[in-house]
Amino acid sequence: MLTNVRSDRVRSVRSLSRRSVRERTGRFVVDGPQGVREAIRYAAERVDDLYVTGAAAQRHSDLVDAAHAARVRVHDTDEAVLAAMSDTESPQGLLAVVATESPTLDDVLARTPRLLVLLSSVRDPGNAGTVIRGADAFGADAVLVTEGSVDVHSPKVVRSTVGSIFHLPVVTGLDVTATLDALAAHGIRTLAADGAGTTLLPDADLDGPHAWVMGNEAWGLPEEVKARCADVVRVPIHDRVESLNLAMAATVCLAASSGATRPR
Amino acid sequence: MLTNVRSDRVRSVRSLSRRSVRERTGRFVVDGPQGVREAIRYAAERVDDLYVTGAAAQRHSDLVDAAHAARVRVHDTDEAVLAAMSDTESPQGLLAVVATESPTLDDVLARTPRLLVLLSSVRDPGNAGTVIRGADAFGADAVLVTEGSVDVHSPKVVRSTVGSIFHLPVVTGLDVTATLDALAAHGIRTLAADGAGTTLLPDADLDGPHAWVMGNEAWGLPEEVKARCADVVRVPIHDRVESLNLAMAATVCLAASSGATRPR
């Protein structure tokens, strides 16, 4: 049982809350039962270590069994150690250290995707996590993230994906212009989601392969990015409302693409 | 210029971060330019006081002019006073104290609403705020909130509505059963949004007046509430995903109701 909150191990796990450490070590932290469950289910070979309190091991015995079956190293810890490892006040008794995966845009394109999301300079962890979750829920083939965006392996993003980060490839560090050109060259229609778009969502062409392009929370998409997209699409909303937030707009666009909202 | 962070006035504004004080005084706080702008535009008669730093008064001079024109009392303050009044670290230089409004369910029903949202035991401030914003954006006539839900006048909820709380009536403290019965008696179809629903959203009847009923973040809607609704509707999502979060599900359902996602 790990009980020393000042051990090197605790310090080293905790240091993964810093982006520079994650990038140097190629490791990130997943906490909470839902995220840990999906990590073991979909990416067990990348799980280095699982830390579990006694209470959580009882509550989630199926999950601990699955970890053992997948040959994940499982460590018993007390509550204090788990709290010291995590950046959240209530890590819910379970925390895994996982190796990052670095799929490339070419990997994604090679699988002839039908639905993608490109996040351009998105900064808020909750927004990025919610978009990854929405992309997963509505059957997108991957999420693409430009350089200058939030780190998708930060604890807050990982937590708000609730395990979805293990369900579909997330490509990071992309150049927005080169990515838009590559998508177009592969016959994927690029649709900028923008409150000033002239095409309304119900009129947008969502039949073929396409990618939703979402901009920064505060300033949206730069003109030159919108000009490079095949269409600029607006979710129709009431006049008195200035805008939807990024996560809401992405959710509605993805739901429309998946057919979740159209009579069949 | 207000500069004393220990003054009674600062203490009294700050105390509005507590629900009990808001309920006793019938006042709440709105901070940030977007929320304050909508308060002045839609509810100036309810704005008691507006506190503004010099920098914010320059940046948002139109807003300060509008406040003066609406005979709102405007107070110059320094940054320290504004920070001490607010529960957020960056109140962005503007903070208003506003009287709460208490519309009733009868008020709402008297206006023959076409689209409503009923939040039943919703606890997370960000979720409640996002649903109010989504209801506003997609043209709902009101938001109904049961007793035992988060206080919609808490600073976090108000902030995440980004002004929408001033655009449509928000009725609070409702009994869920009595409310469902009242809606049905007025010919408003009640649609429980639930991941276990048998009707898929694209097949749901959204033509007539209807109300979306959304449950708690963790445990959803109790069986007896679902049994009282006209239909139980599920947003179709990918098998590997356990659920959408409350705000995402509400956003998709409301967007579908508004026609924002259907070809016309």
Side-chain angles (χ1 to χ4, degrees):
Chain A
M1 161 97 83
L2 303 177
T3 57
N4 180 2
V5 299
R6 289 196 174 72
S7 69
D8 285 350
R9 182 186 285 271
V10 169
R11 226 189 301 266
S12 126
V13 173
R14 179 59 199 249
S15 71
L16 292 171
S17 63
R18 298 208 304 276
R19 183 173 192 157
S20 59
V21 178
R22 290 194 296 274
E23 289 178 348
R24 195 178 69 232
T25 60
R27 295 291 180 277
F28 68 108
V29 158
V30 184
D31 56 26
Q34 292 167 296
V36 168
R37 176 169 285 120
E38 301 309 288
I40 292 167
R41 200 174 277 171
Y42 288 85
E45 71 291 351
R46 292 198 276 132
V47 180
D48 285 351
D49 295 282
L50 174 61
Y51 300 94
V52 194
T53 63
Q58 282 206 315
R59 207 175 320 125
H60 305 288
S61 57
D62 58 322
L63 202 161
V64 176
D65 291 345
H68 283 299
R71 298 173 177 275
V72 168
R73 284 192 301 250
V74 180
H75 309 265
D76 297 334
T77 70
D78 65 11
E79 301 280 353
V81 162
L82 210 80
M85 284 177 164
S86 171
D87 78 319
T88 176
E89 279 172 36
S90 54
Q92 299 179 265
L94 288 154
L95 183 150
V97 174
V98 184
T100 52
E101 202 177 38
S102 302
T104 65
L105 183 56
D106 286 342
D107 297 337
V108 168
L109 291 173
R111 285 186 255 166
T112 59
R114 307 247 343 138
L115 178 60
L116 297 170
V117 191
L118 170 59
L119 298 180
S120 180
S121 302
V122 165
R123 299 283 160 77
D124 180 73
N127 278 336
T130 303
V131 173
I132 292 171
R133 185 174 179 182
D136 184 20
F138 294 117
D141 298 289
V143 176
L144 314 176
V145 183
T146 65
E147 59 194 348
S149 295
V150 65
D151 178 15
V152 297
H153 294 108
S154 81
K156 279 188 186 163
V157 176
V158 172
R159 205 172 292 131
S160 57
T161 74
V162 202
S164 284
I165 199 161
F166 299 108
H167 293 168
L168 77 177
V170 180
V171 184
T172 60
L174 294 167
D175 175 77
V176 66
T177 305
T179 304
L180 292 173
D181 290 349
L183 293 172
H186 282 74
I188 297 166
R189 262 173 79 77
T190 50
L191 304 174
D194 191 283
T198 46
T199 300
L200 294 180
L201 177 59
D203 304 323
D205 176 4
L206 307 178
D207 290 333
H210 59 279
W212 286 107
V213 184
M214 316 292 309
N216 175 271
E217 291 84 350
W219 65 80
L221 289 165
E223 288 305 325
E224 63 270 25
V225 170
K226 286 191 268 183
R228 246 187 162 82
C229 291
D231 203 354
V232 183
V233 177
R234 167 165 61 96
V235 178
I237 57 174
H238 200 290
D239 293 342
R240 67 195 167 196
V241 180
E242 202 179 292
S243 64
L244 295 175
N245 73 33
L246 167 65
M248 295 167 83
T251 301
V252 172
C253 291
L254 286 162
S257 292
S258 80
T261 60
R262 291 167 183 252
R264 288 154 313 176
Chain B
M1 161 97 80
L2 304 178
T3 56
N4 180 2
V5 298
R6 290 198 174 70
S7 69
D8 285 350
R9 181 186 286 270
V10 169
R11 226 187 301 265
S12 123
V13 173
R14 178 59 198 247
S15 71
L16 292 171
S17 62
R18 297 206 305 274
R19 184 172 191 158
S20 60
V21 178
R22 290 194 296 275
E23 287 177 349
R24 196 180 65 232
T25 61
R27 297 288 180 279
F28 68 108
V29 158
V30 184
D31 57 25
Q34 291 166 297
V36 168
R37 175 170 286 119
E38 300 310 287
I40 292 167
R41 201 175 276 170
Y42 288 85
E45 71 290 352
R46 292 198 277 133
V47 180
D48 285 351
D49 295 282
L50 174 62
Y51 301 94
V52 196
T53 64
Q58 280 205 317
R59 208 175 320 124
H60 305 287
S61 57
D62 57 323
L63 201 161
V64 177
D65 291 347
H68 283 299
R71 298 173 179 274
V72 168
R73 285 190 301 249
V74 180
H75 310 264
D76 298 333
T77 69
D78 64 13
E79 302 280 353
V81 162
L82 210 79
M85 284 177 165
S86 172
D87 78 320
T88 176
E89 280 171 34
S90 53
Q92 299 181 267
L94 288 155
L95 184 151
V97 173
V98 184
T100 52
E101 204 177 37
S102 302
T104 66
L105 183 56
D106 286 342
D107 296 338
V108 168
L109 292 172
R111 284 185 256 167
T112 59
R114 308 252 336 143
L115 178 59
L116 297 170
V117 190
L118 170 58
L119 297 180
S120 178
S121 301
V122 166
R123 299 283 161 79
D124 180 75
N127 278 337
T130 303
V131 173
I132 293 171
R133 185 174 178 182
D136 184 21
F138 294 116
D141 299 291
V143 175
L144 314 177
V145 183
T146 65
E147 59 193 346
S149 296
V150 64
D151 178 16
V152 298
H153 295 109
S154 82
K156 280 188 185 164
V157 176
V158 172
R159 205 173 292 129
S160 56
T161 75
V162 201
S164 283
I165 199 161
F166 300 109
H167 293 169
L168 77 177
V170 181
V171 183
T172 60
L174 294 167
D175 174 78
V176 66
T177 306
T179 304
L180 291 173
D181 290 349
L183 293 172
H186 281 75
I188 296 166
R189 260 174 81 77
T190 48
L191 303 174
D194 191 283
T198 46
T199 301
L200 294 180
L201 177 59
D203 304 323
D205 176 4
L206 307 178
D207 289 335
H210 60 280
W212 286 106
V213 184
M214 316 292 310
N216 174 272
E217 291 84 350
W219 67 79
L221 289 167
E223 289 304 325
E224 65 269 23
V225 170
K226 286 192 268 184
R228 244 187 164 83
C229 291
D231 204 354
V232 184
V233 178
R234 166 165 62 97
V235 179
I237 56 173
H238 200 292
D239 292 341
R240 67 193 169 198
V241 180
E242 200 179 294
S243 64
L244 294 175
N245 73 33
L246 168 66
M248 294 167 85
T251 300
V252 172
C253 291
L254 287 162
S257 292
S258 80
T261 60
R262 292 170 183 249
R264 287 154 314 178

